[in-house]
Amino acid sequence: MKIFLLAAAVLSLPTVAHAEVTVTEPWSRASILASRPGAAYLTLASDADDLLIKASSAVADEVIIHAVETDGAGITRMKHAQALEIPAGQAVAFEPGSMHLMLMGLHSKLVEGSSFPLTLVFESGQEITVEVPVLGPAAAAPNEKQP
């Protein structure tokens, strides 16, 4: 009887809807030296509010979420963000000169034409691994023609 009551209690628990995050247009630029950090860019969207809480990749010791802020004097600086809000129904774009994922401690330089895995972890529990293509060192967007 106790087992039946426990099973009934578990079955009657409300289900929690998890955010469904999508990742589009991941890309990175080729790097000149492995001793310099790289950056990854992409666009995130979610059907429910969520937070990007961690990123990692086999090509780097650490992946850091970087926001870009401009102070009152017009000086722009990168700022480490512990997490990034992904508002429901809004695209969040990581772009050159703006928010990006900094690849610190590259194990080797990023070579044009190659790709690497990037894993994103969200507060909802969703974990997404995408393959990030490496474009030319002068690339400004994933769809632009290379010079």
Side-chain angles (χ1 to χ4, degrees):
M1 183 68 168
K2 287 182 182 178
I3 293 173
F4 174 75
L5 292 175
L6 178 60
V10 169
L11 291 175
S12 67
L13 290 175
T15 58
V16 178
H18 289 289
E20 184 64 36
V21 179
T22 57
V23 180
T24 55
E25 298 185 326
W27 67 284
S28 183
R29 287 186 182 130
S31 56
I32 306 299
L33 303 168
S35 60
R36 302 276 320 210
Y41 311 101
L42 46 81
T43 300
L44 299 174
S46 180
D47 59 2
D49 291 346
D50 207 343
L51 282 173
L52 174 62
I53 58 173
K54 183 179 177 184
S56 62
S57 179
V59 299
D61 292 337
E62 185 177 22
V63 179
I64 301 171
I65 304 166
H66 269 175
V68 175
E69 295 181 342
T70 303
D71 66 16
I75 298 172
T76 302
R77 291 186 174 90
M78 289 184 285
K79 181 180 178 187
H80 179 185
Q82 295 295 325
L84 175 68
E85 291 183 27
I86 312 297
Q90 295 181 25
V92 177
F94 292 73
E95 300 171 329
S98 184
M99 192 166 25
H100 57 278
L101 296 168
M102 185 66 79
L103 307 167
M104 303 296 291
L106 286 175
H107 300 163
S108 61
K109 68 182 189 174
L110 301 175
V111 178
E112 183 176 357
S114 66
S115 65
F116 61 89
L118 176 69
T119 300
L120 306 170
V121 180
F122 299 88
E123 185 178 58
S124 64
Q126 187 172 2
E127 187 173 304
I128 301 172
T129 299
V130 295
E131 200 63 24
V132 179
V134 179
L135 305 181
N143 300 329
E144 110 181 339
K145 288 187 176 187
Q146 299 299 300

